[in-house]
Amino acid sequence: TEIYPLSLPDALPISCELAITERGGKAIPRIRKDLDYLVIGTMASRDWANTSHGRKIEKAIEYKKDNCPIYIIEEKQWVGHL
C-alpha cells in the first residue's frame, strides 16, 4: 500500500511515515498513478486549488478519472483507522 500524506498538521511528518511503514505501507514523496491513498490534512483554505497541495489533489483526481484506484481520504478518517 502506497500512501501520500498531504499536509497533516495534527501529526509530525516523521510520525505519519512511521505509522504507515509500521503497518506495511510505504509513504511516497509525490503523487503517482500507482498511489493507493492520498491523505488530506484538516487545514483548508478557500484558495486550496491555487496551492501546491491543491495541485496534488487535482492530479490525484485526474488519475482517478483515468481509472487509477486512488482513494482520497481526510486525515481524521486515516487516523481513525490506525
Side-chain angles (χ1 to χ4, degrees):
T1 301
E2 295 190 325
I3 301 172
Y4 184 90
L6 177 63
S7 180
L8 300 179
D10 293 342
L12 296 172
I14 294 170
S15 63
C16 293
E17 185 171 344
L18 183 60
I20 293 166
T21 56
E22 283 180 340
R23 290 158 177 82
K26 180 179 178 184
I28 61 172
R30 64 190 161 282
I31 305 296
R32 303 187 318 218
K33 287 187 175 188
D34 62 343
L35 175 69
D36 296 305
Y37 295 92
L38 170 62
V39 181
I40 300 173
T42 57
M43 296 185 72
S45 165
R46 63 185 172 107
D47 299 320
W48 70 270
N50 297 318
T51 67
S52 63
H53 296 293
R55 298 287 178 233
K56 292 171 182 166
I57 295 168
E58 288 176 341
K59 187 179 234 182
I61 291 169
E62 283 180 33
Y63 289 161
K64 283 182 70 74
K65 288 179 182 177
D66 289 339
N67 295 318
C68 295
I70 298 173
Y71 294 95
I72 301 172
I73 61 173
E74 293 179 358
E75 175 186 7
K76 288 180 182 179
Q77 184 180 11
W78 177 70
V79 170
H81 284 90
L82 290 180

